[in-house]
Amino acid sequence: MTRQTILILDFGSQYTQLIARRVRENKVFSKIIPYHTSAKEIAKMTPKGLILSGSPASVADKKSPTPDKGIFKLGLPILGICYGMQIMTKMLGGRVKHTKEREFGKIELFIDNNRDLFSHMPGNFTCWASHGDYVTKLPLGFSTSAHTMNAPTAAISNSNRRFFGVQFHPEVTHTERGSQMITNFLFRICGCLGRWTMQSFIKDAIENIKKTVGRRDKVVLGLSGGVDSSVAALLIHKAVGRNLRSIFIDNGLLRKDEPQQIKKVFRNMYHLNLDYVDRSKRFLIRLKGIQDPEQKRKIIGEEFIKVFEEEAAKVKGVKYLAQGTLYPDVIESVSPGGAPSSRFPGPGLAIRIIGEVNTERLNILREVDRRVIEEIRNAHLYEQIWQSFAILLPIKSVGIMGDDRTYENVVALRCVMSLDGMTADWVRLPFEVLEKMANRIINEVKGVNRVVYDISSKPPATIEWE
């Protein structure tokens, strides 16, 4: 039986991966493709339906990303989300206007047509929106399906052509009936059966790797210790065994004892062919004096590629280069047990140190971070919390320790709950846990005399500070 697939045209939204996940949670396979993929290529993939993602762009921009107009002639069901709805409206003859009155965050949605996408839903519920463009004229054959207090057209539909659009984001958890909307699109509109499983995907992935690589060809992979490259390494290792050479680059920005832990897990537990390369001094030299977070990320990424290319060139007979995946559901299905906490940013501690990164500040943050995790574990909260970490701030404060006045560093603690990392809420930690953390940090970590707790949710804040 041919696998049923929903194709997601990616216009650059931060939520595109999340849309793919929501589809897969319904046991329907999803695949993300570039927004400019031709209608001819899409037809060859024989999808059951298309989803047009959101985008940071505006349809009012002259160079706004535009799909092949032929996709609207394929006879496929289409769901446009936020920008996806706007670009569909524009390309089919409607009008979209940019306005200063943005809708951002939670909004109340009022249903005008409870069929199709909104079947079996209440008359109003909360959704999550993030847009500054509005549909002012519907394309021919479309009608309004829902509205908000600020947007007369918050959802549109053309049931005959099976085209639907929503001005909000059903894929995020803040939208109360978002999962049901996606389910309605998949099963009521696209006619999917829901027989796909993640285990079948993993099995197929391993078989495809075997067919592609063969028995003798070698693969080289840059292993950072993060979840993306770890998942890729394990999948490829299951397919080709010792023909995979994983290169673990220590950039000096990892947590306390993490390099040793990564080597132990992947060499001893999973028996990977692992090369360890310590280039921590090289990374820190490049980061000297750099304070801008985006510049830090860029330097770390560039240097990682340079080091990896240098080390990969030393491995003889390599035919394939492997890289990690970004699919959250694949990650959760294959993540290595015993490895360090997977939810750790690629640039490491560099973006948890606000301002310049140096050896002294890294050592302080490592010691603070270790005590945060220890106390979260001691309180039996580690498996319940999405992320727990510390941030070293670029300020100092006056304190009193014993009879002496001090002028030391301030650290912020951050603990959040989330289902997908796209939205998050701060954790209401018991006061006694916070007290233990603060006392241990101030008493045991030299150079810190004040601890604060971050009670910001995402949005409007992000999980990380940089």
Side-chain angles (χ1 to χ4, degrees), residues 103-109 126-130 173-176 459:
E103 282 189 323
F104 183 83
K106 292 183 178 181
I107 58 171
E108 193 71 10
L109 184 76
T126 300
C127 291
W128 194 85
S130 177
T173 55
H174 286 346
T175 296
E176 290 180 349

Side-chain angles (χ1 to χ4, degrees), residues 250-450:
D250 184 351
N251 59 13
L253 306 171
L254 300 174
R255 291 166 290 193
K256 189 175 179 66
D257 300 327
E258 196 164 25
Q260 293 76 16
Q261 198 175 357
I262 289 171
K263 287 189 287 183
K264 180 180 178 181
V265 167
F266 288 100
R267 280 179 177 167
N268 300 345
M269 287 180 61
Y270 294 102
H271 310 292
L272 260 67
N273 189 4
L274 180 68
D275 292 343
Y276 171 69
V277 180
D278 184 356
R279 293 293 182 269
S280 53
K281 290 182 179 179
R282 177 169 165 175
F283 278 83
L284 289 178
I285 289 172
R286 285 289 316 275
L287 289 168
K288 186 176 181 180
I290 304 299
Q291 297 191 25
D292 179 76
E294 291 308 313
Q295 198 173 353
K296 284 194 279 187
R297 288 177 183 272
K298 185 177 180 180
I299 288 171
I300 293 165
E302 288 177 348
E303 205 61 31
F304 184 90
I305 293 170
K306 288 179 183 177
V307 174
F308 175 68
E309 288 176 343
E310 292 167 6
E311 297 301 319
K314 300 176 184 178
V315 183
K316 295 181 180 179
V318 172
K319 188 174 180 180
Y320 295 97
L321 171 67
Q323 66 180 28
T325 174
L326 288 173
Y327 278 117
D329 47 355
V330 179
I331 285 168
E332 290 172 9
S333 299
V334 194
S335 284
S341 175
S342 296
R343 299 183 185 106
F344 187 56
L349 295 178
I351 59 167
R352 291 180 180 172
I353 294 176
I354 311 302
E356 184 180 359
V357 179
N358 56 43
T359 301
E360 180 184 0
R361 302 191 81 201
L362 281 165
N363 288 336
I364 290 173
L365 186 55
R366 284 192 183 103
E367 295 299 329
V368 172
D369 184 80
R370 192 183 95 181
R371 285 156 179 80
V372 170
I373 298 302
E374 284 177 353
E375 290 306 320
I376 291 294
R377 287 187 183 277
N378 291 341
H380 306 290
L381 295 171
Y382 188 76
E383 299 300 328
Q384 301 174 35
I385 296 175
W386 174 267
Q387 260 183 303
S388 306
F389 59 91
I391 307 100
L392 183 59
L393 304 184
I395 59 173
K396 292 188 176 183
S397 70
V398 174
I400 299 175
M401 303 184 79
D403 294 326
D404 297 325
R405 287 171 65 85
T406 61
Y407 189 59
E408 302 288 3
N409 292 288
V410 180
V411 296
L413 308 183
R414 181 82 159 134
C415 298
V416 297
M417 295 294 292
S418 178
L419 293 177
D420 44 48
M422 299 300 178
T423 59
D425 197 13
W426 62 280
V427 177
R428 278 69 173 168
L429 284 178
F431 287 154
E432 56 269 23
V433 175
L434 283 170
E435 183 181 19
K436 285 181 182 178
M437 281 187 193
N439 285 341
R440 284 197 63 193
I441 291 167
I442 292 171
N443 290 329
E444 298 175 16
V445 181
K446 186 177 180 181
V448 177
N449 70 357
R450 191 177 299 269

Side-chain angles (χ1 to χ4, degrees), residues 134-237:
Y134 292 89
V135 172
T136 58
K137 178 186 175 183
L138 293 175
L140 186 66
F142 280 78
S143 61
T144 298
S145 301
H147 68 276
T148 69
M149 296 300 290
N150 294 321
T153 307
I156 61 175
S157 63
N158 182 329
S159 297
N160 292 333
R161 299 184 70 180
R162 295 185 296 173
F163 292 170
F164 302 88
V166 292
Q167 190 62 80
F168 50 89
H169 290 272
E171 69 273 22
V172 303
T173 55
H174 286 346
T175 296
E176 290 180 349
R177 298 282 176 159
S179 295
Q180 190 176 344
M181 286 178 223
I182 292 173
T183 298
N184 283 341
F185 179 70
L186 296 176
F187 300 112
R188 299 180 69 90
I189 297 168
C190 296
C192 295
L193 299 175
R195 295 177 179 175
W196 177 85
T197 65
M198 178 53 64
Q199 290 306 314
S200 68
F201 172 79
I202 294 169
K203 182 180 178 181
D204 289 345
I206 292 172
E207 288 302 316
N208 287 335
I209 293 168
K210 286 181 179 179
K211 290 178 183 178
T212 302
V213 175
R215 294 183 178 181
R216 297 183 179 180
D217 291 332
K218 292 183 180 180
V219 183
V220 66
L221 176 142
L223 182 67
S224 66
V227 66
D228 300 340
S229 60
S230 299
V231 168
L234 291 180
L235 281 173
I236 298 168
H237 179 67

